[in-house]
Amino acid sequence: MVEHVDREAPVIPAGTKVTRDIPVGTRVTEADFGAGAEPAGPQEVQVGAGGDPLMIGIPVFVVGSLVLGMALIGAVPAAALPGIVPVILASTAVFQLISTIWAVLLGQGMVACIMALFSGFWASLAALLVGQAHNWYGTAAVQASSQVQLIFFIAWDVLFFFLLLTMLRLPAVYPAILVLAVSAVTLVILGIEFPGVTQPLFMAAGACVLAFGALGLWVFLHIGSVALGGPPRPALGPPLIK
């Protein structure tokens, strides 16, 4: 196997078939072998070699946040809450999963982690809403239903809190989104635990969800500008921990 392509060697005449192997990953131009020549041996094919997975992950995150936030502040009756499932499942969860795969192909481990976790949250929330509405899990009794919801939201709240800690080295807007997400889930937990003040607590949670949806739009403007060759604006803020 040849380890180095000698660029000082004479140019091989056009049409000459090159018989030596080229290491995988070596960048070969027409000038290296003469016009029309084809290097022999395996050639590397790169999959997912560019782009920004957040271009998909952020806008679908925003639309899921908007429908959930509006539902929590009372835009739809509580009994109609499963009606948000088409958006949070078929749009947000699915396309954040696609964003996860894209990030994996690029080797962006942290982006893949964040997108995968949020995809799991939206998909499991959809399963909880639909499953409880149709009593798939045998939790028709009010007390049992509330306990299942508490377990669900407490588990995600703990995870989001520790995800927040890992994101403190990112631009400030990202941990800000997680602060609002943790606050929203905590308010939902309190609303479930204390039925007497459920409505105001859920409305406060909905306001937090709409707020982090707005921050998601801020991020989308930034990454959209960069993707189209513009300046990195609006600014995302400095990392809280360097």
Side-chain angles (χ1 to χ4, degrees), residues 14-36:
T16 302
K17 184 170 182 62
V18 179
T19 58
R20 59 181 179 172
D21 291 336
I22 303 299
V24 173
T26 300
R27 184 176 295 279
V28 179
T29 66
E30 187 177 89
D32 291 315
F33 297 99

Side-chain angles (χ1 to χ4, degrees), residues 27-216:
R27 184 176 295 279
V28 179
T29 66
E30 187 177 89
D32 291 315
F33 297 99
E38 296 181 1
Q43 301 299 305
E44 182 180 27
V45 177
Q46 294 185 345
V47 179
D52 187 351
L54 294 180
M55 286 300 299
I56 292 177
I58 292 297
V60 295
F61 169 78
V62 169
V63 73
S65 301
L66 292 178
V67 297
L68 178 59
M70 288 186 288
L72 286 172
I73 64 175
V76 296
L81 194 58
I84 69 173
V85 167
V87 172
I88 67 173
L89 179 59
S91 176
T92 307
V94 169
F95 284 94
Q96 283 200 307
L97 179 59
I98 292 172
S99 183
T100 300
I101 296 169
W102 188 355
V104 169
L105 291 173
L106 292 177
Q108 297 180 2
M110 193 62 195
V111 174
C113 171
I114 295 169
M115 291 293 105
L117 290 177
F118 274 100
S119 176
F121 170 75
W122 295 110
S124 58
L125 177 61
L128 176 70
L129 293 174
V130 175
Q132 288 203 319
H134 295 279
N135 195 30
W136 289 348
Y137 313 126
T139 59
V142 174
Q143 187 63 28
S145 178
S146 298
Q147 291 301 318
V148 169
Q149 292 172 16
L150 277 174
I151 291 172
F152 175 89
F153 287 109
I154 289 173
W156 279 108
D157 205 23
V158 170
L159 182 59
F160 285 153
F161 175 76
F162 283 94
L163 180 61
L164 164 64
L165 298 182
T166 68
M167 294 175 65
L168 293 177
R169 295 184 184 275
L170 295 177
V173 68
Y174 294 109
I177 290 173
L178 262 294
V179 167
L180 289 167
V182 170
S183 300
V185 178
T186 301
L187 289 167
V188 169
I189 292 170
L190 294 174
I192 295 171
E193 184 68 19
F194 302 103
V197 289
T198 295
Q199 186 61 26
L201 288 172
F202 276 17
M203 290 186 69
C208 289
V209 174
L210 292 174
F212 69 64
L215 290 180

